Amino acid sequence: MNALEELAESFSRLPGIGKKSGMRLATHILQADSSFVQRFS
């Protein structure tokens, strides 16, 4: 499992987030600028 899949799986564990939404969120986080990611984390 690669890092993108692991991140998507982590998001999909949240209530109301499925596999597709988890993948969308993971992709968004990986494309976001580092300051956004730092605040988010």
Side-chain angles (χ1 to χ4, degrees):
M1 185 179 299
N2 64 33
L4 177 61
E5 291 170 340
E6 288 182 26
L7 184 57
E9 184 177 323
S10 295
F11 277 123
S12 68
R13 292 180 183 175
L14 295 170
I17 304 295
K19 289 185 178 186
K20 283 178 143 181
S21 294
M23 186 58 79
R24 283 188 209 108
L25 289 167
T27 303
H28 176 77
I29 291 294
L30 292 176
Q31 293 176 349
D33 61 271
S34 61
S35 63
F36 171 79
V37 175
Q38 189 173 22
R39 287 190 315 268
F40 183 77
S41 65

